[in-house]
Structures are given as C-alpha cells and as structure tokens.
Amino acid sequence: MGTQSKSVEQLTERIDQVLREIREMDFTDYQLKKIMELKKAIEAFHEDALRKLVKIVRSTDEGKQLMLEAIEDPSVYAMLLLHGIIKQNLYTKVAAVMEEIRPYLNSHGGDIELEKIDGNVVYVRMQGACSGCSLSAVTLKNGVEEAIKARVPEVERVEMVNDLSPGYMPYKRNVDEEDLMNSGWREGPNVDELEENKPYYLTIDEVDVLLIIIDNKIMAYRNRCPHRGIPFTQETVEQEDHMVLIGHDNTLRFDLTNGECVTVPHIQLEPFPVRIENKQVWIRTGN
C-alpha cells in the first residue's frame, strides 16, 4: 500500500502545482473564478461517472474481484481515493508512514514491521541492530510513535511487541559485504567464537571493543571505563539480580545488559551497533 499512498501524494501535489501556476498567471479574479468552477465541474463529472462504473462492476462477485485487482494499480487507487470513492483504512495509513521512516532505520542497520492494529493501538516489531542503550531504546520507540501519531492522529499509542534492549535482534535482509563496509560496518568474529556471558575483546579501526552474548543477544561497547579511561580485561563477569556486571573493582561496576553504571547513575558505556550476517558479527564504531 506504500506505492498507492505515494501515487496519491504525487497526484495531489501535481494538481496543487498546476493550480499555483494558474494563480501566478495574469488572470483577472473573474477568470480565476471561472477556471476553478470549470475544475470543480470536471471533477464532479469524473466522480459521478466513476461511482456509476464502480457500482456496475461491483454488482457481481466476479466484478468485485476485478475491482480488488484494479485498485492494486497505484493510479487507479489514487484516482478513486481522490474522489472519495474508496477510503484509506487505518492499517493503510500507518503502513504508509512506516514506509517513510524505514529508510532511516535501514541506514542504522534496523527495520520495522507492522504487526497488527487493535482498535486505535498500533503494534510494531523492531528488527536489526539496536544502536543505543536502554535510554536510546525508549527514544527510538518514542520517535516511531511520534512519526505515526503526527501523520495519523486517530492512533492513540504505539506498542513494541519485542524487547528493545541493546544488542542484535533477528534481521533477515541479505546485505552485500561490500555495501556493509562502505556503510561503516567492520567485520568481527564468527558467532561460534563467542560464549554466553563471557567478554570478547577486539580492536576495530583503532577502537577497543567489548563484545558479549547475554540471553542470545550480542552487545558491543567501547571497551573503556568512562570513569578511569582504561579498558576492561576481565575474562569473566558477575551475575547479580538479573545484571551482568563488569568493572575494575567492586566500587565502579557496569551492567552489560544495558551499559549503565550501577554505582553512578546516568554514566554509561558507549554502545555500538552490531549485526550478524552469515554467522559473522559486524560492528560499526563510527570511526
């Protein structure tokens, strides 16, 4: 439905453009009035003819099927929608907005799917690399919700159907390795080299990186303590109250499930986007 929505926008934009050009011409007010009357008369004629045509076509079961096939064509859909003969349903409106924000998410290694709409509540599923900490997950959710509600006011709220914690989330799109490299992604270890809850250290483009698998998600952080400015070297982590902790001592420790310092609030490890292609881990440090 994204193509149909785009076709409608192009049609209305073209009509508006022509009307602007007419208004900029050296017509008298009387001439402009007659031009607009002619436009409305032509539109009314087209609408009346189209409504009669649709009514005739839909009078049989075969005709109804043909009509459904016809409105799959963007130009047919746009024309019928323009005259109010068909209406955009809520699902179609939301899907069109998601097509608008998808390129931005794709550029960050992510994607979004419309799971369902229940009443005026939209449920979406995030995919791909999550490029932030627990706070950025909230920011991402709010950004998606803001975009949808701004364009579709009848939507009351947007809910994520999966947990937006940092790390890798299943992303099924096949990507060429050269395209990844050109987009700033760098190849890391094979997933078989990583062990659950065990830090893996590497250097990418002169940036020290800490990788770790927690609950089947791969997190990547800059391997540098924000307090002391030195890298972590521990081969094991501590698990405490659903947290996976790392630190140079018991005073300053970080929860690797979200990168947050459990000792000093609002201090966090710097997260990196991470994704998997053919069992190979890819990381983007931004360097």
Side-chain angles (χ1 to χ4, degrees):
M1 286 296 183
T3 303
Q4 284 105 326
S5 298
K6 187 174 295 185
S7 182
V8 174
E9 292 175 4
Q10 292 172 345
L11 178 61
T12 54
E13 286 175 4
R14 178 55 183 160
I15 293 173
D16 290 340
Q17 179 184 348
V18 172
L19 289 175
R20 286 195 299 270
E21 292 174 353
I22 290 175
R23 292 189 181 98
E24 291 171 0
M25 294 179 182
D26 191 20
F27 288 113
T28 66
D29 291 342
Y30 177 78
Q31 289 172 324
L32 284 174
K33 179 181 177 181
K34 290 302 178 181
I35 290 172
M36 295 306 296
E37 288 179 357
L38 177 61
K39 169 183 174 291
K40 292 179 180 178
I42 293 173
E43 288 178 346
F45 174 73
H46 287 170
E47 180 182 345
D48 182 64
L50 286 171
R51 286 188 181 277
K52 290 177 179 177
L53 177 61
V54 169
K55 183 177 181 179
I56 293 171
V57 172
R58 296 189 61 185
S59 62
T60 65
D61 291 339
E62 291 182 357
K64 291 178 181 178
Q65 182 60 39
L66 287 174
M67 180 56 64
L68 290 174
E69 295 176 7
I71 63 175
E72 288 298 318
D73 182 277
S75 59
V76 174
Y77 179 88
M79 183 59 68
L80 296 179
L81 184 65
L82 181 68
H83 290 292
I85 298 173
I86 61 174
K87 304 288 185 181
Q88 270 191 319
N89 58 33
L90 188 58
Y91 192 96
T92 302
K93 293 179 183 179
V94 173
V97 176
M98 289 176 58
E99 288 301 317
E100 294 179 19
I101 64 178
R102 191 183 306 281
Y104 172 78
L105 297 175
N106 290 168
S107 69
H108 288 71
D111 208 343
I112 187 171
E113 288 184 358
L114 178 54
E115 185 77 8
K116 66 176 181 178
I117 296 180
D118 186 2
N120 290 330
V121 180
V122 175
Y123 294 86
V124 299
R125 181 179 299 277
M126 304 300 299
Q127 294 181 325
C130 176
S131 60
C133 59
S134 57
L135 292 179
S136 70
V138 175
T139 301
L140 177 60
K141 187 264 185 185
N142 290 343
V144 171
E145 183 171 38
E146 181 180 349
I148 293 175
K149 292 174 69 174
R151 294 165 178 79
V152 191
E154 53 265 48
V155 171
E156 294 179 357
R157 70 178 190 275
V158 177
E159 297 288 345
M160 304 295 180
V161 300
N162 54 314
D163 181 20
L164 273 177
S165 59
Y168 170 76
M169 292 177 286
Y171 189 52
K172 299 179 177 59
R173 178 169 300 170
N174 293 324
V175 180
D176 183 77
E177 290 188 1
E178 184 176 350
D179 290 339
L180 285 175
M181 294 286 290
N182 292 336
S183 300
W185 293 91
R186 296 294 179 263
E187 188 174 1
N190 188 284
V191 292
D192 292 336
E193 299 179 47
L194 306 178
E195 299 180 27
E196 184 83 10
N197 294 335
K198 183 175 182 179
Y200 183 101
Y201 303 105
L202 71 156
T203 300
I204 297 176
D205 292 342
E206 300 182 350
V207 176
D208 293 327
V209 177
L210 185 162
L211 283 177
I212 189 167
I213 299 179
I214 302 175
D215 294 331
N216 293 320
K217 290 184 180 179
I218 299 178
M219 265 66 72
Y221 298 103
R222 183 183 294 275
N223 185 22
R224 192 159 301 276
C225 174
H227 300 288
R228 298 184 175 178
I230 56 177
F232 302 104
T233 58
Q234 289 92 333
E235 294 185 0
T236 60
V237 294
E238 299 178 47
Q239 297 187 48
E240 179 181 310
D241 297 330
H242 305 292
M243 296 186 294
V244 177
L245 302 173
I246 193 170
H248 293 289
D249 52 42
N250 291 329
T251 304
L252 299 171
R253 297 189 297 172
F254 293 84
D255 181 6
L256 292 178
T257 63
N258 53 31
E260 295 181 358
C261 180
V262 298
T263 311
V264 182
H266 311 305
I267 299 296
Q268 295 177 318
L269 298 176
E270 180 183 352
F272 293 136
V274 57
R275 65 191 298 155
I276 294 178
E277 299 291 341
N278 298 321
K279 297 191 68 177
Q280 204 70 28
V281 179
W282 290 77
I283 305 118
R284 186 166 61 187
T285 64
N287 278 20

